[in-house]
Amino acid sequence: MSEQQHVEFGWFLPTTGDGEYVGIPPQRPASPEYLTEIAKAAEHAGYEFVLIPTGGDCWDGFVVGSWIAAHTSKLKSLVALRPGLITPVLAARNAATLDQMTGGRTMFNVVTGHYPQDLKACGDPLYDQHDARYERTLEFVKVVKGVWEAGDAKDGGFNFEGKHYLIEGGSCQPLVLQQPHPPIYFGGSSVAGKKTAALTADVYLMWAEPLQWIRSQIEEMKDYLQELEREQGIKRTLRYGMRAQIVVRETEEEAWAAAWKLLSKADPELIQSREKLHAKTDAVGQNRQMDLYHQSIQDDYVIAPNMWAGLSAIRGGGAVAFVGTAEQIADRIFEFVDLGVTSFILSGYPHLEEAEISGRLLMPVLKQKMAERGLVKQD
């Protein structure tokens, strides 16, 4: 069975802390001990990797990824590379070092944008230039991959001259362990983001949305891939991934009660302030999440069977949740598998307990469905 047909499941590592509720300060601050507990619970539950987030209030992904690898045996880390905040050659070397240190248990998530204020605080001169950031990202990934391929520069190294980067004799020590290179994950819902992903990514990531919305995004990506082949002779294939929250319980009633409990301590003024913050972003994906939220207010934020947008006003990013029993959520997930989604990054509050609950209830059902369809990776 080819890797293309394998369906993978990842969990989320809350490096800003978490708790039983959203919309209030984290009841459990991040700590090496707590993050290790979550990683071990995720590994025990059957998740293959953890997504390590990035942003002004997040712990450094490279350090956390190295720490997690040292305290688990199989779990991989999905670590962010942020063009504009690190040079591509240094990023390539750091990534190769982590790849070697973890025995190949690492993947990389290219993150082009964030809230303008976060980018500005980090010194990104393109903080308010959306398409220019993707133009730079394309050059960034070309250099990273070029340096990985050049390796120790015995043949003169990697040379590149673009609008944003000038590289002469670029090299990478150590060499990357995974060949031809560690997997590259990439998200971006704008036209600029999707065209960049078509040229650079192994896995194109989306935030959870209704089936038709995801179908449209995948069809659009396939159009860009065909355009590349037709106009530039570049033939590429992509896998598709999705980021979602989950609230899984023995009964549907318990699941919905647990979902609404997450919001029960949020201050209405906080919700209003978060909505204003989201409105300032030029990230198309974030705006799509907020559109779902506003469109579903009259329906208690239910956007599709067992799909809920109630968290979207409070937390940014992939906030849509699957809510229900293990069978219901598994059925919903495999509707997306039927569209071509083969990578799912799940999470729930608090992440330790929800990793354990989903490992007990959901993962056995997912594995059974994967086995029935022949979607299990062969070792």
Side-chain angles (χ1 to χ4, degrees):
M1 195 63 62
S2 70
E3 184 70 18
Q4 183 74 13
Q5 295 170 292
H6 170 58
V7 179
E8 65 179 9
F9 292 92
W11 194 244
F12 182 84
L13 210 58
T15 61
T16 60
D18 71 354
E20 295 181 79
Y21 306 94
V22 296
I24 63 173
Q27 302 104 315
R28 297 178 185 172
S31 69
E33 295 77 16
Y34 185 47
L35 296 178
T36 300
E37 279 191 272
I38 295 171
K40 288 183 175 180
E43 183 174 60
H44 181 74
Y47 292 101
E48 294 184 39
F49 64 95
V50 285
L51 169 64
I52 302 174
T54 186
D57 53 354
C58 297
W59 288 22
D60 180 78
F62 280 91
V63 176
V64 174
S66 181
W67 174 271
I68 292 305
H71 290 81
T72 57
S73 59
K74 295 181 179 180
L75 196 69
K76 301 176 183 178
S77 290
L78 180 55
V79 177
L81 298 179
R82 299 191 68 182
L85 306 187
I86 184 173
T87 67
V89 174
L90 179 58
R93 293 172 179 173
N94 288 352
T97 301
L98 187 61
D99 194 36
Q100 289 283 353
M101 290 287 290
T102 63
R105 288 192 285 140
T106 188
M107 311 179 294
F108 296 99
N109 181 28
V110 177
V111 179
T112 297
H114 205 258
Y115 294 107
Q117 186 55 45
D118 177 68
L119 296 174
K120 192 174 184 180
C122 292
D124 187 346
L126 303 182
Y127 71 90
D128 60 349
Q129 300 178 51
H130 178 276
D131 287 3
R133 292 200 302 269
Y134 280 105
E135 178 184 68
R136 181 181 62 192
T137 292
L138 179 57
E139 293 188 7
F140 178 94
V141 179
K142 285 182 178 179
V143 173
V144 168
K145 288 184 177 180
V147 170
W148 280 343
E149 293 171 2
D152 58 10
K154 290 181 180 178
D155 297 324
F158 178 74
N159 300 314
F160 179 87
E161 183 174 356
K163 180 177 179 180
H164 301 278
Y165 300 107
L166 174 62
I167 311 296
E168 295 181 0
S171 64
C172 184
Q173 283 282 25
L175 304 177
V176 289
L177 181 61
Q178 298 177 79
Q179 293 296 323
H181 57 75
I184 297 291
Y185 290 63
F186 193 109
S189 297
S190 67
V191 172
K194 287 175 177 174
K195 287 189 173 183
T196 304
L199 279 163
T200 62
D202 298 306
V203 181
Y204 175 68
L205 285 176
M206 300 165 284
W207 287 332
E209 296 174 345
L211 279 169
Q212 185 54 48
W213 289 38
I214 295 295
R215 179 185 288 110
S216 296
Q217 292 216 64
I218 292 176
E219 289 175 352
E220 189 176 353
M221 287 302 304
K222 289 181 177 179
D223 287 342
Y224 289 135
L225 291 172
Q226 292 174 358
E227 181 182 302
L228 271 180
E229 185 173 4
R230 182 174 61 253
E231 297 183 1
Q232 300 183 43
I234 300 174
K235 188 171 184 178
R236 302 193 76 248
T237 57
L238 281 177
R239 293 177 56 217
Y240 298 94
M242 194 168 74
R243 171 87 177 91
Q245 308 292 321
I246 58 168
V247 184
V248 58
R249 295 293 186 270
E250 297 278 1
T251 69
E252 187 173 9
E253 293 75 18
E254 289 176 307
W256 283 110
W260 281 104
K261 178 184 175 183
L262 294 172
L263 300 178
S264 62
K265 293 192 176 183
D267 187 332
E269 291 186 4
L270 173 68
I271 295 178
Q272 293 178 5
S273 67
R274 293 294 295 179
E275 287 182 342
K276 291 178 181 177
L277 174 64
H278 297 330
K280 294 179 181 179
T281 182
D282 58 4
V284 174
Q286 182 63 63
N287 291 327
R288 290 168 67 100
Q289 293 279 293
M290 293 309 296
D291 286 345
L292 285 171
Y293 172 81
H294 289 298
Q295 292 173 20
S296 63
I297 289 175
Q298 300 303 318
D299 298 314
D300 289 334
Y301 309 114
V302 176
I303 60 173
N306 304 108
M307 294 188 72
W308 186 62
L311 298 175
S312 295
I314 296 177
R315 59 150 290 154
V320 168
F322 290 109
V323 181
T325 66
E327 285 288 347
Q328 288 173 324
I329 293 177
D331 285 345
R332 299 292 82 75
I333 285 175
F334 273 86
E335 289 174 349
F336 289 97
V337 172
D338 289 340
L339 294 183
V341 180
T342 59
S343 182
F344 294 86
I345 304 173
L346 307 177
S347 60
Y349 296 89
H351 291 79
L352 174 59
E353 285 83 351
E354 293 303 318
E356 295 168 345
I357 292 171
S358 61
R360 176 168 51 85
L361 297 179
L362 179 61
M363 292 303 289
V365 179
L366 291 173
K367 289 180 179 179
Q368 179 181 349
K369 289 182 179 292
M370 284 192 289
E372 290 171 352
R373 296 179 178 219
L375 299 175
V376 179
K377 181 168 64 175
Q378 301 297 314
D379 295 326

PDB file of all heavy atoms in Angstrom, residues 223-249:
ATOM      1  N   ASP A 223      -6.459  22.196  -9.855  1.00  0.00           N
ATOM      2  CA  ASP A 223      -6.386  23.079 -11.026  1.00  0.00           C
ATOM      3  C   ASP A 223      -5.021  23.758 -11.115  1.00  0.00           C
ATOM      4  O   ASP A 223      -4.447  23.871 -12.208  1.00  0.00           O
ATOM      5  CB  ASP A 223      -7.485  24.143 -10.957  1.00  0.00           C
ATOM      6  CG  ASP A 223      -8.873  23.583 -11.234  1.00  0.00           C
ATOM      7  OD1 ASP A 223      -8.971  22.471 -11.804  1.00  0.00           O
ATOM      8  OD2 ASP A 223      -9.861  24.251 -10.864  1.00  0.00           O
ATOM      9  N   TYR A 224      -4.493  24.204  -9.977  1.00  0.00           N
ATOM     10  CA  TYR A 224      -3.186  24.847  -9.982  1.00  0.00           C
ATOM     11  C   TYR A 224      -2.090  23.846 -10.362  1.00  0.00           C
ATOM     12  O   TYR A 224      -1.133  24.202 -11.061  1.00  0.00           O
ATOM     13  CB  TYR A 224      -2.888  25.465  -8.619  1.00  0.00           C
ATOM     14  CG  TYR A 224      -3.725  26.687  -8.317  1.00  0.00           C
ATOM     15  CD1 TYR A 224      -4.318  26.849  -7.068  1.00  0.00           C
ATOM     16  CD2 TYR A 224      -3.929  27.681  -9.265  1.00  0.00           C
ATOM     17  CE1 TYR A 224      -5.103  27.967  -6.776  1.00  0.00           C
ATOM     18  CE2 TYR A 224      -4.705  28.794  -8.994  1.00  0.00           C
ATOM     19  CZ  TYR A 224      -5.288  28.927  -7.753  1.00  0.00           C
ATOM     20  OH  TYR A 224      -6.055  30.029  -7.474  1.00  0.00           O
ATOM     21  N   LEU A 225      -2.209  22.608  -9.901  1.00  0.00           N
ATOM     22  CA  LEU A 225      -1.229  21.585 -10.258  1.00  0.00           C
ATOM     23  C   LEU A 225      -1.264  21.308 -11.761  1.00  0.00           C
ATOM     24  O   LEU A 225      -0.215  21.146 -12.404  1.00  0.00           O
ATOM     25  CB  LEU A 225      -1.508  20.300  -9.469  1.00  0.00           C
ATOM     26  CG  LEU A 225      -1.250  20.366  -7.959  1.00  0.00           C
ATOM     27  CD1 LEU A 225      -1.761  19.097  -7.281  1.00  0.00           C
ATOM     28  CD2 LEU A 225       0.233  20.554  -7.661  1.00  0.00           C
ATOM     29  N   GLN A 226      -2.467  21.244 -12.327  1.00  0.00           N
ATOM     30  CA  GLN A 226      -2.585  21.035 -13.769  1.00  0.00           C
ATOM     31  C   GLN A 226      -2.024  22.221 -14.544  1.00  0.00           C
ATOM     32  O   GLN A 226      -1.388  22.053 -15.596  1.00  0.00           O
ATOM     33  CB  GLN A 226      -4.049  20.802 -14.133  1.00  0.00           C
ATOM     34  CG  GLN A 226      -4.608  19.484 -13.615  1.00  0.00           C
ATOM     35  CD  GLN A 226      -6.098  19.338 -13.874  1.00  0.00           C
ATOM     36  OE1 GLN A 226      -6.738  20.236 -14.411  1.00  0.00           O
ATOM     37  NE2 GLN A 226      -6.655  18.197 -13.469  1.00  0.00           N
ATOM     38  N   GLU A 227      -2.243  23.412 -14.018  1.00  0.00           N
ATOM     39  CA  GLU A 227      -1.704  24.613 -14.653  1.00  0.00           C
ATOM     40  C   GLU A 227      -0.180  24.596 -14.657  1.00  0.00           C
ATOM     41  O   GLU A 227       0.463  24.959 -15.655  1.00  0.00           O
ATOM     42  CB  GLU A 227      -2.217  25.842 -13.905  1.00  0.00           C
ATOM     43  CG  GLU A 227      -1.758  27.182 -14.447  1.00  0.00           C
ATOM     44  CD  GLU A 227      -2.280  28.340 -13.609  1.00  0.00           C
ATOM     45  OE1 GLU A 227      -3.519  28.455 -13.478  1.00  0.00           O
ATOM     46  OE2 GLU A 227      -1.467  29.101 -13.070  1.00  0.00           O
ATOM     47  N   LEU A 228       0.402  24.155 -13.554  1.00  0.00           N
ATOM     48  CA  LEU A 228       1.863  24.039 -13.473  1.00  0.00           C
ATOM     49  C   LEU A 228       2.400  23.095 -14.535  1.00  0.00           C
ATOM     50  O   LEU A 228       3.387  23.388 -15.215  1.00  0.00           O
ATOM     51  CB  LEU A 228       2.266  23.515 -12.086  1.00  0.00           C
ATOM     52  CG  LEU A 228       2.514  24.499 -10.969  1.00  0.00           C
ATOM     53  CD1 LEU A 228       2.908  23.748  -9.707  1.00  0.00           C
ATOM     54  CD2 LEU A 228       3.591  25.494 -11.346  1.00  0.00           C
ATOM     55  N   GLU A 229       1.741  21.942 -14.653  1.00  0.00           N
ATOM     56  CA  GLU A 229       2.218  20.950 -15.624  1.00  0.00           C
ATOM     57  C   GLU A 229       2.029  21.455 -17.043  1.00  0.00           C
ATOM     58  O   GLU A 229       2.908  21.280 -17.902  1.00  0.00           O
ATOM     59  CB  GLU A 229       1.471  19.633 -15.421  1.00  0.00           C
ATOM     60  CG  GLU A 229       1.978  18.516 -16.307  1.00  0.00           C
ATOM     61  CD  GLU A 229       1.360  17.175 -15.979  1.00  0.00           C
ATOM     62  OE1 GLU A 229       0.458  17.127 -15.101  1.00  0.00           O
ATOM     63  OE2 GLU A 229       1.762  16.168 -16.599  1.00  0.00           O
ATOM     64  N   ARG A 230       0.906  22.107 -17.300  1.00  0.00           N
ATOM     65  CA  ARG A 230       0.594  22.570 -18.646  1.00  0.00           C
ATOM     66  C   ARG A 230       1.496  23.724 -19.071  1.00  0.00           C
ATOM     67  O   ARG A 230       1.994  23.757 -20.207  1.00  0.00           O
ATOM     68  CB  ARG A 230      -0.872  23.006 -18.689  1.00  0.00           C
ATOM     69  CG  ARG A 230      -1.344  23.459 -20.066  1.00  0.00           C
ATOM     70  CD  ARG A 230      -2.844  23.743 -20.072  1.00  0.00           C
ATOM     71  NE  ARG A 230      -3.212  24.818 -19.149  1.00  0.00           N
ATOM     72  CZ  ARG A 230      -3.846  24.638 -17.998  1.00  0.00           C
ATOM     73  NH1 ARG A 230      -4.184  23.418 -17.614  1.00  0.00           N
ATOM     74  NH2 ARG A 230      -4.158  25.669 -17.231  1.00  0.00           N
ATOM     75  N   GLU A 231       1.739  24.669 -18.179  1.00  0.00           N
ATOM     76  CA  GLU A 231       2.442  25.897 -18.551  1.00  0.00           C
ATOM     77  C   GLU A 231       3.945  25.849 -18.280  1.00  0.00           C
ATOM     78  O   GLU A 231       4.713  26.543 -18.945  1.00  0.00           O
ATOM     79  CB  GLU A 231       1.819  27.085 -17.817  1.00  0.00           C
ATOM     80  CG  GLU A 231       0.363  27.332 -18.208  1.00  0.00           C
ATOM     81  CD  GLU A 231      -0.223  28.554 -17.545  1.00  0.00           C
ATOM     82  OE1 GLU A 231       0.511  29.230 -16.784  1.00  0.00           O
ATOM     83  OE2 GLU A 231      -1.416  28.840 -17.773  1.00  0.00           O
ATOM     84  N   GLN A 232       4.358  25.059 -17.264  1.00  0.00           N
ATOM     85  CA  GLN A 232       5.780  25.032 -16.913  1.00  0.00           C
ATOM     86  C   GLN A 232       6.412  23.651 -17.010  1.00  0.00           C
ATOM     87  O   GLN A 232       7.603  23.500 -16.754  1.00  0.00           O
ATOM     88  CB  GLN A 232       5.976  25.587 -15.495  1.00  0.00           C
ATOM     89  CG  GLN A 232       5.496  27.026 -15.322  1.00  0.00           C
ATOM     90  CD  GLN A 232       5.790  27.553 -13.925  1.00  0.00           C
ATOM     91  OE1 GLN A 232       6.878  27.330 -13.379  1.00  0.00           O
ATOM     92  NE2 GLN A 232       4.832  28.265 -13.340  1.00  0.00           N
ATOM     93  N   GLY A 233       5.609  22.655 -17.335  1.00  0.00           N
ATOM     94  CA  GLY A 233       6.140  21.302 -17.435  1.00  0.00           C
ATOM     95  C   GLY A 233       6.519  20.703 -16.088  1.00  0.00           C
ATOM     96  O   GLY A 233       7.271  19.728 -16.032  1.00  0.00           O
ATOM     97  N   ILE A 234       5.999  21.276 -15.003  1.00  0.00           N
ATOM     98  CA  ILE A 234       6.297  20.790 -13.657  1.00  0.00           C
ATOM     99  C   ILE A 234       5.172  19.865 -13.207  1.00  0.00           C
ATOM    100  O   ILE A 234       4.013  20.289 -13.100  1.00  0.00           O
ATOM    101  CB  ILE A 234       6.440  21.956 -12.659  1.00  0.00           C
ATOM    102  CG1 ILE A 234       7.577  22.880 -13.079  1.00  0.00           C
ATOM    103  CG2 ILE A 234       6.664  21.441 -11.248  1.00  0.00           C
ATOM    104  CD1 ILE A 234       7.687  24.138 -12.237  1.00  0.00           C
ATOM    105  N   LYS A 235       5.500  18.606 -12.974  1.00  0.00           N
ATOM    106  CA  LYS A 235       4.493  17.633 -12.557  1.00  0.00           C
ATOM    107  C   LYS A 235       4.664  17.338 -11.071  1.00  0.00           C
ATOM    108  O   LYS A 235       5.708  16.826 -10.652  1.00  0.00           O
ATOM    109  CB  LYS A 235       4.613  16.356 -13.380  1.00  0.00           C
ATOM    110  CG  LYS A 235       3.470  15.374 -13.132  1.00  0.00           C
ATOM    111  CD  LYS A 235       3.500  14.223 -14.116  1.00  0.00           C
ATOM    112  CE  LYS A 235       2.298  13.305 -13.918  1.00  0.00           C
ATOM    113  NZ  LYS A 235       2.298  12.193 -14.901  1.00  0.00           N
ATOM    114  N   ARG A 236       3.671  17.692 -10.295  1.00  0.00           N
ATOM    115  CA  ARG A 236       3.722  17.475  -8.847  1.00  0.00           C
ATOM    116  C   ARG A 236       2.406  16.870  -8.373  1.00  0.00           C
ATOM    117  O   ARG A 236       1.355  17.058  -8.989  1.00  0.00           O
ATOM    118  CB  ARG A 236       3.953  18.790  -8.082  1.00  0.00           C
ATOM    119  CG  ARG A 236       5.219  19.524  -8.465  1.00  0.00           C
ATOM    120  CD  ARG A 236       5.530  20.620  -7.456  1.00  0.00           C
ATOM    121  NE  ARG A 236       6.087  20.060  -6.220  1.00  0.00           N
ATOM    122  CZ  ARG A 236       5.489  20.060  -5.048  1.00  0.00           C
ATOM    123  NH1 ARG A 236       4.283  20.580  -4.903  1.00  0.00           N
ATOM    124  NH2 ARG A 236       6.060  19.542  -3.988  1.00  0.00           N
ATOM    125  N   THR A 237       2.489  16.134  -7.264  1.00  0.00           N
ATOM    126  CA  THR A 237       1.292  15.626  -6.610  1.00  0.00           C
ATOM    127  C   THR A 237       1.290  16.125  -5.168  1.00  0.00           C
ATOM    128  O   THR A 237       2.354  16.424  -4.602  1.00  0.00           O
ATOM    129  CB  THR A 237       1.245  14.089  -6.611  1.00  0.00           C
ATOM    130  OG1 THR A 237       2.423  13.572  -5.965  1.00  0.00           O
ATOM    131  CG2 THR A 237       1.167  13.559  -8.034  1.00  0.00           C
ATOM    132  N   LEU A 238       0.125  16.223  -4.595  1.00  0.00           N
ATOM    133  CA  LEU A 238      -0.024  16.690  -3.219  1.00  0.00           C
ATOM    134  C   LEU A 238      -0.866  15.719  -2.419  1.00  0.00           C
ATOM    135  O   LEU A 238      -1.783  15.078  -2.951  1.00  0.00           O
ATOM    136  CB  LEU A 238      -0.730  18.057  -3.185  1.00  0.00           C
ATOM    137  CG  LEU A 238       0.058  19.320  -3.504  1.00  0.00           C
ATOM    138  CD1 LEU A 238      -0.885  20.513  -3.464  1.00  0.00           C
ATOM    139  CD2 LEU A 238       1.192  19.516  -2.515  1.00  0.00           C
ATOM    140  N   ARG A 239      -0.570  15.637  -1.142  1.00  0.00           N
ATOM    141  CA  ARG A 239      -1.516  15.072  -0.198  1.00  0.00           C
ATOM    142  C   ARG A 239      -2.262  16.244   0.436  1.00  0.00           C
ATOM    143  O   ARG A 239      -1.791  17.379   0.406  1.00  0.00           O
ATOM    144  CB  ARG A 239      -0.796  14.257   0.877  1.00  0.00           C
ATOM    145  CG  ARG A 239      -0.132  12.986   0.343  1.00  0.00           C
ATOM    146  CD  ARG A 239       0.617  12.274   1.462  1.00  0.00           C
ATOM    147  NE  ARG A 239      -0.279  11.978   2.570  1.00  0.00           N
ATOM    148  CZ  ARG A 239       0.086  12.042   3.855  1.00  0.00           C
ATOM    149  NH1 ARG A 239       1.305  12.436   4.189  1.00  0.00           N
ATOM    150  NH2 ARG A 239      -0.774  11.732   4.802  1.00  0.00           N
ATOM    151  N   TYR A 240      -3.402  15.953   1.039  1.00  0.00           N
ATOM    152  CA  TYR A 240      -4.228  17.000   1.636  1.00  0.00           C
ATOM    153  C   TYR A 240      -4.465  16.687   3.108  1.00  0.00           C
ATOM    154  O   TYR A 240      -4.708  15.537   3.486  1.00  0.00           O
ATOM    155  CB  TYR A 240      -5.551  17.123   0.880  1.00  0.00           C
ATOM    156  CG  TYR A 240      -5.336  17.521  -0.558  1.00  0.00           C
ATOM    157  CD1 TYR A 240      -5.240  16.560  -1.562  1.00  0.00           C
ATOM    158  CD2 TYR A 240      -5.178  18.858  -0.908  1.00  0.00           C
ATOM    159  CE1 TYR A 240      -4.999  16.916  -2.877  1.00  0.00           C
ATOM    160  CE2 TYR A 240      -4.930  19.229  -2.223  1.00  0.00           C
ATOM    161  CZ  TYR A 240      -4.845  18.257  -3.196  1.00  0.00           C
ATOM    162  OH  TYR A 240      -4.587  18.621  -4.495  1.00  0.00           O
ATOM    163  N   GLY A 241      -4.361  17.739   3.916  1.00  0.00           N
ATOM    164  CA  GLY A 241      -4.517  17.576   5.358  1.00  0.00           C
ATOM    165  C   GLY A 241      -5.526  18.555   5.916  1.00  0.00           C
ATOM    166  O   GLY A 241      -5.846  19.570   5.299  1.00  0.00           O
ATOM    167  N   MET A 242      -6.005  18.268   7.127  1.00  0.00           N
ATOM    168  CA  MET A 242      -7.018  19.114   7.748  1.00  0.00           C
ATOM    169  C   MET A 242      -6.780  19.187   9.249  1.00  0.00           C
ATOM    170  O   MET A 242      -6.475  18.189   9.898  1.00  0.00           O
ATOM    171  CB  MET A 242      -8.419  18.575   7.472  1.00  0.00           C
ATOM    172  CG  MET A 242      -9.530  19.555   7.777  1.00  0.00           C
ATOM    173  SD  MET A 242     -11.109  18.991   7.097  1.00  0.00           S
ATOM    174  CE  MET A 242     -11.508  17.686   8.244  1.00  0.00           C
ATOM    175  N   ARG A 243      -6.917  20.392   9.789  1.00  0.00           N
ATOM    176  CA  ARG A 243      -6.744  20.682  11.213  1.00  0.00           C
ATOM    177  C   ARG A 243      -8.110  20.877  11.845  1.00  0.00           C
ATOM    178  O   ARG A 243      -8.921  21.677  11.359  1.00  0.00           O
ATOM    179  CB  ARG A 243      -5.890  21.946  11.342  1.00  0.00           C
ATOM    180  CG  ARG A 243      -5.799  22.516  12.751  1.00  0.00           C
ATOM    181  CD  ARG A 243      -4.679  21.878  13.534  1.00  0.00           C
ATOM    182  NE  ARG A 243      -4.593  22.504  14.847  1.00  0.00           N
ATOM    183  CZ  ARG A 243      -5.232  22.075  15.930  1.00  0.00           C
ATOM    184  NH1 ARG A 243      -6.013  21.010  15.865  1.00  0.00           N
ATOM    185  NH2 ARG A 243      -5.091  22.690  17.079  1.00  0.00           N
ATOM    186  N   ALA A 244      -8.421  20.134  12.924  1.00  0.00           N
ATOM    187  CA  ALA A 244      -9.745  20.215  13.537  1.00  0.00           C
ATOM    188  C   ALA A 244      -9.670  19.938  15.026  1.00  0.00           C
ATOM    189  O   ALA A 244      -8.760  19.250  15.514  1.00  0.00           O
ATOM    190  CB  ALA A 244     -10.702  19.211  12.889  1.00  0.00           C
ATOM    191  N   GLN A 245     -10.628  20.484  15.764  1.00  0.00           N
ATOM    192  CA  GLN A 245     -10.838  20.136  17.159  1.00  0.00           C
ATOM    193  C   GLN A 245     -11.766  18.912  17.222  1.00  0.00           C
ATOM    194  O   GLN A 245     -12.508  18.641  16.269  1.00  0.00           O
ATOM    195  CB  GLN A 245     -11.500  21.299  17.911  1.00  0.00           C
ATOM    196  CG  GLN A 245     -10.801  22.631  17.761  1.00  0.00           C
ATOM    197  CD  GLN A 245      -9.452  22.660  18.440  1.00  0.00           C
ATOM    198  OE1 GLN A 245      -9.267  22.111  19.524  1.00  0.00           O
ATOM    199  NE2 GLN A 245      -8.489  23.298  17.794  1.00  0.00           N
ATOM    200  N   ILE A 246     -11.733  18.196  18.340  1.00  0.00           N
ATOM    201  CA  ILE A 246     -12.695  17.105  18.532  1.00  0.00           C
ATOM    202  C   ILE A 246     -13.218  17.127  19.962  1.00  0.00           C
ATOM    203  O   ILE A 246     -12.508  17.495  20.903  1.00  0.00           O
ATOM    204  CB  ILE A 246     -12.106  15.710  18.238  1.00  0.00           C
ATOM    205  CG1 ILE A 246     -10.879  15.419  19.107  1.00  0.00           C
ATOM    206  CG2 ILE A 246     -11.784  15.541  16.768  1.00  0.00           C
ATOM    207  CD1 ILE A 246     -10.450  13.953  19.061  1.00  0.00           C
ATOM    208  N   VAL A 247     -14.481  16.751  20.090  1.00  0.00           N
ATOM    209  CA  VAL A 247     -15.086  16.491  21.401  1.00  0.00           C
ATOM    210  C   VAL A 247     -15.829  15.173  21.250  1.00  0.00           C
ATOM    211  O   VAL A 247     -16.934  15.118  20.698  1.00  0.00           O
ATOM    212  CB  VAL A 247     -16.062  17.601  21.837  1.00  0.00           C
ATOM    213  CG1 VAL A 247     -16.571  17.315  23.247  1.00  0.00           C
ATOM    214  CG2 VAL A 247     -15.405  18.972  21.777  1.00  0.00           C
ATOM    215  N   VAL A 248     -15.208  14.089  21.694  1.00  0.00           N
ATOM    216  CA  VAL A 248     -15.777  12.755  21.530  1.00  0.00           C
ATOM    217  C   VAL A 248     -16.147  12.186  22.897  1.00  0.00           C
ATOM    218  O   VAL A 248     -15.378  12.275  23.848  1.00  0.00           O
ATOM    219  CB  VAL A 248     -14.803  11.816  20.783  1.00  0.00           C
ATOM    220  CG1 VAL A 248     -13.467  11.693  21.515  1.00  0.00           C
ATOM    221  CG2 VAL A 248     -15.434  10.448  20.566  1.00  0.00           C
ATOM    222  N   ARG A 249     -17.356  11.623  22.978  1.00  0.00           N
ATOM    223  CA  ARG A 249     -17.844  11.033  24.225  1.00  0.00           C
ATOM    224  C   ARG A 249     -18.642   9.770  23.909  1.00  0.00           C
ATOM    225  O   ARG A 249     -18.922   9.455  22.764  1.00  0.00           O
ATOM    226  CB  ARG A 249     -18.724  12.031  24.984  1.00  0.00           C
ATOM    227  CG  ARG A 249     -17.991  13.271  25.486  1.00  0.00           C
ATOM    228  CD  ARG A 249     -16.969  12.948  26.563  1.00  0.00           C
ATOM    229  NE  ARG A 249     -16.362  14.140  27.143  1.00  0.00           N
ATOM    230  CZ  ARG A 249     -15.258  14.729  26.700  1.00  0.00           C
ATOM    231  NH1 ARG A 249     -14.655  14.241  25.604  1.00  0.00           N
ATOM    232  NH2 ARG A 249     -14.749  15.787  27.303  1.00  0.00           N
TER     233      ARG A 249
END
